[in-house]
Amino acid sequence: MEYQKVTDVSATCNGNIVSELTCRTGFAELSIETTKAAVQHFNETSRKEAEDESRLPILEAAYTTILRGLGENTDRQGLLRTPLRAAKAMQFFTKGYHETIYDILNDAIFDEDHEEMVIVKDIDMFSLCEHHLVPFFGKVHIGYLPNKKVVGLSKLARIVEIYSRRLQVQERLTKQIAMAISEALQPAGVAVVIEAAHMCMMMRGVQKMNSRTVTSSMLGSFREDPKTRKEFLTLTKSA
Amino acid sequence: MDRSKQKQLLNQNEKQTTSVVGDSSVNGHFDGMAKMKSRAGLPLAASGETSGQSSGAIESWREERTRSLEDNEMSLPSIASAYTTILRGLGEDPQRQGLLKTPWRAATAMQFFTKGYQEKIIDVLNDAIFDEDHDEMVIVKDIDMFSMCEHHLVPIFGRVHIGYLPNKRVLGLSKLARIVEIYSRRLQVQERLTKQIAVAITEALQPAGVGVVIEATHMCMVMRGVQKMNSKTVTSTMLGVFREDPKTRDEFLTLIRS
């Protein structure tokens, strides 16, 4: 039933994943298919690294169509290899689909008798707006109250990387990061705040250069106890 | 659309030959112009674009648009379907709610980011050139600029600072920003962008000198590749007095820094 909750949030990939999960209410119903047997977790990715190379020609052709449709001359020197470069760049910007949480977190969880807040702030984040395919970037601040288990600090930044290198919506990104930490560590509470600038608002549309979008996700004691939340927010406020 | 592009090609080639002759009378002391004249004489490979080649800069005053609003509408479906292909190729599901209309939004956005191809300098300057007896430096600085890297199709953003020494003719101030818009809303390379802005102002006003400095962040360096968050690229073009007289250049650079 936890799984059910999270599917609503993180089923960003194929519809296949969602339907597979609704079958998992009982072992009796579980059907094991060889391709899906490798699935460890609801965060199964829809893309494996080996597939990237094979997809490049399709992406290149698509980018060539786009360049021509925009009225550019694809034979001029500066644009000759642009479809290839743009395809590779786009694959890099969506490499979060390759990776799963358990790949990176498996070994870096430690038992420590620490119950005070741990904060990692000012994690630079770059993502792609799923509505316009234009970047948005900003900073992520993560805090959690460990419950006998702490995680390697860089792993928090890696969690941010996995979820941000996808086609995203800032609200969903914030929630996914919080849920991932929550599931991996079972801490007393998790807080994630993201402050980002959206190029789809800066470069086009309303064209407001200095606007920033702030989203937050508070779970556990950060949600219930206002003082804990306040401490976190004070500590992550940059002077 | 093919026919209109071919017509544009013909027009452009014709205009090139006439403009080379015409431009020989423009202010002789711009080194940049002299170099570009010889390059403009070479036949351009059959290309419909006007922004790419450096010889294109000399025709900025007379350039044909490569794109019209009708072209935009007609090419939108093919660009949108290309984006759908890209979404599938990345492993995403184009049918999920958040992505349903993304191909159209992304195609429209991309057309907006390259709308500089639709506009001409002449239209934008709009007769906003005035005769003023002013020969001190005029600077418009901190003009926000957004462009697209032509190598990775990823945004570039930064600030443009423009200064010029009028020679009896001044330009409406917002027109400087509009010139920046026309040239930046294209698939660009920062060096070429700087030069195109400087040359356009030179051709429009024939001032005693023009200086353009652009300081920009390239997302292709920040988001991928080397991933250096805080790096900035600075390019500049100095024409006329700004190139010849170090004191003028100094004054310009000090004023844009303050």
Side-chain angles (χ1 to χ4, degrees), chain A residues 175-205:
Chain A
K175 189 147 202 163
Q176 284 179 316
I177 297 173
M179 299 293 297
I181 299 172
S182 189
E183 308 236 338
L185 294 181
Q186 284 92 39
V190 181
V192 178
V193 172
I194 300 186
E195 184 177 330
H198 288 243
M199 302 222 72
C200 52
M201 265 177 78
M202 287 162 60
M203 278 180 83
R204 58 167 288 290

Coordinates of all heavy atoms in Angstrom, one line a residue, chain A residues 175-205:
Chain A
K175 N 9.2 16.0 -4.3 CA 8.5 14.9 -3.6 C 9.3 13.6 -3.8 O 9.5 12.8 -2.9 CB 7.1 14.7 -4.1 CG 6.3 13.8 -3.3 CD 4.9 14.1 -3.2 CE 4.3 13.5 -2.0 NZ 3.0 14.1 -1.6
Q176 N 9.8 13.4 -5.0 CA 10.5 12.2 -5.3 C 11.8 12.1 -4.4 O 12.1 11.0 -3.9 CB 10.9 12.1 -6.8 CG 9.7 11.7 -7.6 CD 10.1 11.6 -9.1 OE1 10.8 12.5 -9.6 NE2 9.7 10.6 -9.8
I177 N 12.5 13.2 -4.3 CA 13.7 13.2 -3.5 C 13.4 12.9 -2.1 O 14.0 12.0 -1.4 CB 14.4 14.5 -3.6 CG1 14.9 14.8 -5.0 CG2 15.6 14.6 -2.7 CD1 15.5 16.2 -5.2
A178 N 12.3 13.5 -1.6 CA 11.9 13.3 -0.2 C 11.5 11.8 0.1 O 11.9 11.2 1.0 CB 10.8 14.2 0.2
M179 N 10.7 11.3 -0.9 CA 10.2 9.9 -0.7 C 11.4 8.9 -0.8 O 11.4 8.0 0.0 CB 9.2 9.6 -1.8 CG 8.0 10.4 -1.8 SD 6.9 10.2 -0.3 CE 6.5 8.5 -0.5
A180 N 12.4 9.2 -1.7 CA 13.5 8.3 -1.8 C 14.3 8.2 -0.5 O 14.6 7.1 -0.1 CB 14.3 8.7 -3.0
I181 N 14.5 9.3 0.1 CA 15.3 9.3 1.3 C 14.5 8.7 2.4 O 15.0 7.9 3.2 CB 15.7 10.8 1.7 CG1 16.6 11.4 0.6 CG2 16.4 10.8 3.0 CD1 16.8 12.8 0.8
S182 N 13.2 9.0 2.4 CA 12.4 8.4 3.4 C 12.3 6.9 3.4 O 12.4 6.2 4.4 CB 11.0 9.0 3.2 OG 10.1 8.6 4.2
E183 N 12.2 6.3 2.2 CA 12.2 4.9 2.0 C 13.5 4.2 2.3 O 13.6 3.1 2.9 CB 11.8 4.5 0.6 CG 10.6 5.2 0.1 CD 9.6 4.2 -0.4 OE1 10.0 3.1 -0.7 OE2 8.4 4.6 -0.4
A184 N 14.6 4.9 2.0 CA 15.9 4.2 2.1 C 16.3 4.2 3.6 O 16.9 3.2 4.0 CB 16.9 5.0 1.3
L185 N 16.0 5.3 4.3 CA 16.6 5.4 5.7 C 15.6 5.2 6.8 O 16.0 5.0 7.9 CB 17.2 6.8 5.8 CG 18.4 7.2 5.0 CD1 18.8 8.6 5.4 CD2 19.6 6.2 5.3
Q186 N 14.3 5.3 6.5 CA 13.3 5.4 7.5 C 13.7 6.4 8.6 O 13.8 6.0 9.8 CB 13.0 4.0 8.1 CG 12.2 3.1 7.3 CD 13.1 2.2 6.4 OE1 14.1 1.8 6.9 NE2 12.7 2.0 5.2
P187 N 13.9 7.6 8.3 CA 14.3 8.6 9.3 C 13.1 9.1 10.0 O 12.0 8.8 9.7 CB 15.0 9.7 8.5 CG 14.3 9.7 7.2 CD 13.9 8.3 6.9
A188 N 13.4 9.9 11.1 CA 12.3 10.5 11.8 C 11.6 11.6 11.0 O 10.4 11.9 11.3 CB 12.8 11.0 13.2
G189 N 12.3 12.1 10.1 CA 11.7 13.2 9.3 C 12.7 13.6 8.1 O 13.9 13.4 8.2
V190 N 12.1 14.0 7.0 CA 12.9 14.5 5.9 C 12.3 15.8 5.4 O 11.1 16.0 5.4 CB 12.8 13.5 4.7 CG1 13.6 14.0 3.5 CG2 13.2 12.1 5.1
A191 N 13.2 16.7 5.0 CA 12.8 18.0 4.4 C 13.6 18.3 3.2 O 14.8 18.1 3.2 CB 12.9 19.1 5.4
V192 N 12.9 18.7 2.2 CA 13.6 19.0 0.9 C 13.0 20.4 0.4 O 11.8 20.5 0.3 CB 13.4 18.0 -0.2 CG1 14.0 18.4 -1.5 CG2 13.9 16.6 0.3
V193 N 13.9 21.3 0.2 CA 13.5 22.6 -0.4 C 14.2 22.8 -1.7 O 15.4 22.7 -1.7 CB 13.7 23.7 0.6 CG1 13.5 25.1 -0.1 CG2 12.9 23.6 1.8
I194 N 13.5 23.2 -2.7 CA 14.2 23.5 -4.0 C 13.8 24.9 -4.4 O 12.6 25.3 -4.4 CB 13.8 22.5 -5.1 CG1 14.1 21.1 -4.7 CG2 14.4 22.9 -6.4 CD1 13.9 20.1 -5.8
E195 N 14.8 25.7 -4.8 CA 14.6 27.0 -5.3 C 15.2 27.0 -6.7 O 16.4 26.8 -6.8 CB 15.3 28.0 -4.4 CG 15.0 29.5 -4.8 CD 15.7 30.4 -3.8 OE1 15.8 30.1 -2.7 OE2 16.1 31.5 -4.3
A196 N 14.4 27.3 -7.7 CA 14.9 27.2 -9.1 C 14.4 28.3 -9.9 O 13.4 28.9 -9.7 CB 14.5 25.8 -9.7
A197 N 15.2 28.5 -11.0 CA 14.9 29.5 -12.0 C 14.5 28.7 -13.3 O 15.2 27.8 -13.7 CB 16.0 30.4 -12.4
H198 N 13.3 29.0 -13.8 CA 12.8 28.3 -15.0 C 13.1 29.0 -16.2 O 12.5 30.1 -16.4 CB 11.3 28.0 -14.8 CG 11.0 27.0 -13.7 ND1 10.4 25.8 -14.0 CD2 11.3 27.0 -12.4 CE1 10.3 25.1 -12.9 NE2 10.8 25.8 -11.9
M199 N 13.9 28.5 -17.1 CA 14.2 29.2 -18.4 C 12.9 29.4 -19.2 O 12.8 30.3 -20.0 CB 15.3 28.5 -19.1 CG 16.5 28.4 -18.3 SD 18.0 28.7 -19.3 CE 17.9 30.4 -19.4
C200 N 11.9 28.4 -19.1 CA 10.7 28.6 -19.9 C 10.0 29.9 -19.5 O 9.2 30.4 -20.2 CB 9.8 27.4 -19.7 SG 9.5 26.9 -18.0
M201 N 10.2 30.4 -18.3 CA 9.7 31.7 -17.9 C 10.6 32.8 -18.2 O 10.1 34.0 -18.3 CB 9.4 31.7 -16.3 CG 8.0 31.3 -15.9 SD 7.9 31.3 -14.1 CE 7.8 33.0 -13.8
M202 N 11.9 32.6 -18.2 CA 12.8 33.7 -18.4 C 13.0 33.9 -19.9 O 13.2 35.1 -20.3 CB 14.2 33.3 -17.8 CG 14.2 33.3 -16.3 SD 15.6 32.5 -15.6 CE 17.0 33.3 -16.2
M203 N 13.1 32.9 -20.7 CA 13.5 33.1 -22.1 C 12.3 33.3 -23.0 O 12.4 33.7 -24.1 CB 14.1 31.8 -22.6 CG 15.6 31.7 -22.3 SD 16.3 30.2 -23.0 CE 16.6 30.6 -24.7
R204 N 11.1 32.9 -22.5 CA 9.9 33.0 -23.4 C 8.7 33.2 -22.5 O 8.8 33.3 -21.3 CB 9.8 31.7 -24.2 CG 9.6 30.5 -23.2 CD 9.2 29.2 -23.9 NE 7.8 29.3 -24.3 CZ 6.8 29.3 -23.5 NH1 7.0 29.2 -22.2 NH2 5.5 29.4 -23.9
G205 N 7.5 33.4 -23.1 CA 6.3 33.5 -22.3 C 6.3 34.9 -21.6 O 6.5 35.9 -22.2

